[in-house]
Amino acid sequence: MEYSPPPLFKQGAPARVKMMVFACISIALLLADSRVRTLQTVRKVAGTILYPLQMAALMPRDALYGVGDYFSSLSALEKQVRELKRQQIASALLLQQAQQRVAENNQLRRLIDAREHLPIKSMLAEILYDARDVNSRKIILDRGSQQGLVLGLPVIDNQGVVGQVTRVFPFTSEVTLLTDKEQAIPVQLLRNGLRSVAYGRGKAGTLELRFTAPNADIQVGDIVVTSGLDGVYPAGLAVARVSQVENSAAGSFGGVICQPLGGISNNAQLLVLLSVPDMPPRPPDEEQRQPRKHNNKMAPIKDPAREADAAAAATAAGTAAGAAPAANGAAPAANGNGAPGLMPVMPATRPAPAPTGVTETATPATSTATLTGAPPGARPAAPTAPAAKPAEGKAKEIAR
């Protein structure tokens, strides 16, 4: 049996010969390409044919690189987005603070401008918080009695009246706004001077002019200012603008609704007027006269000359009666004709009132007798008949 090796293992020319042949071919090609440059076209054709194969071989590598770049860029972008969001929030906060400061500066400028135009002294105050009672319209300021605040001071802003100080603490104070139900302010229309009183409406945030006549000359858009009649708010401060007028012919009064002009719920800084306008003092109360007894009787008109004459005549008559004896409890007196007569004596239980000025006039009469040279203890002479007539008439008037 003949054994023959497989075709792969069949040996032809020796390997050394093959190597020499291929080396010579390679050297010849290198010399031809370097000297004559005849292989450039062959190289271009070979590169064009092999390019798709090269791209196909590089696709797995490019895919791996692309996946890595995708995930790395995604992580970087997420970090960048988070950083940008944080910067945006910080920038928004700074922007809000800047806008708030700009608004506060503008408000302070307006308050300072209004303060310069006010004729009275004022103080700048800042709102701390609103009152806890939801049914009232009150705010708390950062000024108190230590800064000179007292009850009743008006509070305003650059646009108009805001309220009134109703409670004072050492370092804070409570202000009741105009829109509170328990707050009222005397006002007048700027257009025609019509006076009224504005009352707050609570949560509605508006004012109402009560007790106005149905045919009152009030129009929508009229400006309402303080009248100054209460002695608390200076006259001429803007209060509100008329927003609604309801005239009912059937009712006794008309309804007028006003919108406040001041920053009731907008601003954070306000002005407190530290002095109220000077008002004339109240007139003193009239003294109540004590009621007199027998008011239905007319008191006699007093005449000093007649009283002096009557006192002198009564003194003379009493002296003459002491000289003559008394009979039956009657005392002699001069009648209307000048003759001595009888005057009934009043009962002891109800003595007749003594004529005014008798005692004061008796002393001068006695002194006159002494000065004329009469002896001490001597009785004066009885008056003549003509002088007794007025004495009798006056004595009867006194007896009555």
Side-chain angles (χ1 to χ4, degrees):
M1 182 176 181
E2 185 179 0
Y3 175 78
S4 61
L8 180 63
F9 294 99
K10 289 182 179 180
Q11 298 181 0
R16 188 175 297 173
V17 176
K18 293 180 180 179
M19 184 187 68
M20 293 298 295
V21 173
F22 287 113
C24 292
I25 294 172
S26 300
I27 292 171
L29 293 175
L30 289 173
L31 292 174
D33 184 43
S34 61
R35 298 292 179 181
V36 186
R37 298 182 184 280
T38 57
L39 298 178
Q40 293 181 358
T41 304
V42 178
R43 189 182 295 108
K44 291 180 181 179
V45 173
T48 303
I49 295 172
L50 295 177
Y51 181 76
L53 299 177
Q54 293 177 358
M55 293 296 100
L58 294 176
M59 286 180 64
R61 187 202 66 175
D62 295 340
L64 292 176
Y65 287 165
V67 171
D69 293 342
Y70 172 77
F71 285 107
S72 61
S73 61
L74 182 63
S75 177
L77 289 175
E78 288 179 353
K79 291 181 180 179
Q80 186 177 2
V81 168
R82 287 194 297 268
E83 183 67 18
L84 291 176
K85 286 184 177 180
R86 187 185 64 80
Q87 293 179 2
Q88 182 182 6
I89 294 174
S91 300
L93 179 60
L94 293 176
L95 180 61
Q96 291 178 357
Q97 293 178 353
Q99 291 177 351
Q100 183 179 2
R101 291 174 181 175
V102 169
E104 289 181 357
N105 289 336
N106 295 334
Q107 176 65 16
L108 289 174
R109 290 178 182 274
R110 289 192 292 266
L111 289 178
I112 292 174
D113 187 20
R115 184 178 182 179
E116 293 178 354
H117 290 82
L118 287 175
I120 57 180
K121 186 179 179 181
S122 60
M123 176 187 296
L124 185 65
E126 185 175 359
I127 299 176
L128 297 178
Y129 53 88
D130 293 340
R132 298 180 180 178
D133 189 2
V134 297
N135 297 322
S136 63
R137 305 282 294 175
K138 299 180 180 180
I139 56 177
I140 306 300
L141 300 181
D142 62 344
R143 296 290 186 270
S145 59
Q146 296 294 330
Q147 289 76 26
L149 266 64
V150 295
L151 292 177
L153 294 179
V155 180
I156 65 172
D157 64 356
N158 62 300
Q159 297 179 348
V161 181
V162 174
Q164 183 181 9
V165 177
T166 54
R167 188 177 298 177
V168 179
F169 302 98
F171 302 100
T172 58
S173 59
E174 182 183 79
V175 176
T176 302
L177 303 179
L178 291 180
T179 54
D180 190 84
K181 291 184 177 181
E182 298 181 357
Q183 190 73 1
I185 176 173
V187 296
Q188 65 180 3
L189 295 183
L190 185 62
R191 179 172 56 86
N192 54 13
L194 180 64
R195 291 192 299 271
S196 182
V197 179
Y199 293 85
R201 301 186 66 194
K203 294 183 179 180
T206 56
L207 302 175
E208 179 182 4
L209 301 183
R210 300 180 184 176
F211 313 116
T212 58
N215 58 350
D217 184 12
I218 302 177
Q219 301 176 4
V220 176
D222 286 345
I223 301 299
V224 180
V225 299
T226 54
S227 62
L229 297 180
D230 58 347
V232 176
Y233 297 94
L237 296 178
V239 177
R241 185 190 304 273
V242 177
S243 60
Q244 183 179 357
V245 179
E246 298 178 357
N247 293 330
S248 177
S252 301
F253 302 99
V256 181
I257 306 301
C258 303
Q259 189 69 28
L261 292 177
I264 300 296
S265 58
N266 298 335
N267 301 322
Q269 292 83 19
L270 301 172
L271 284 178
V272 182
L273 303 183
L274 297 181
S275 61
V276 297
D278 296 334
M279 298 293 292
R282 293 176 58 88
D285 297 336
E286 296 183 358
E287 298 181 358
Q288 297 181 356
R289 298 180 179 179
Q290 297 181 356
R292 297 180 178 180
K293 296 182 179 179
H294 309 292
N295 289 335
N296 55 347
K297 295 182 180 180
M298 182 180 295
I301 300 176
K302 298 181 178 180
D303 189 356
R306 294 184 61 184
E307 290 181 358
D309 296 341
T315 304
T319 306
N328 298 326
N335 54 16
N337 299 324
L342 297 177
M343 179 184 297
V345 180
M346 300 299 293
T349 57
R350 188 178 180 182
T356 306
V358 172
T359 305
E360 290 81 1
T361 313
T363 303
T366 307
S367 301
T368 305
T370 306
L371 292 175
T372 53
R379 296 177 180 177
T384 59
K389 291 182 179 180
E392 181 182 1
K394 188 64 179 179
K396 290 182 179 181
E397 290 181 3
I398 296 173
R400 285 201 299 268

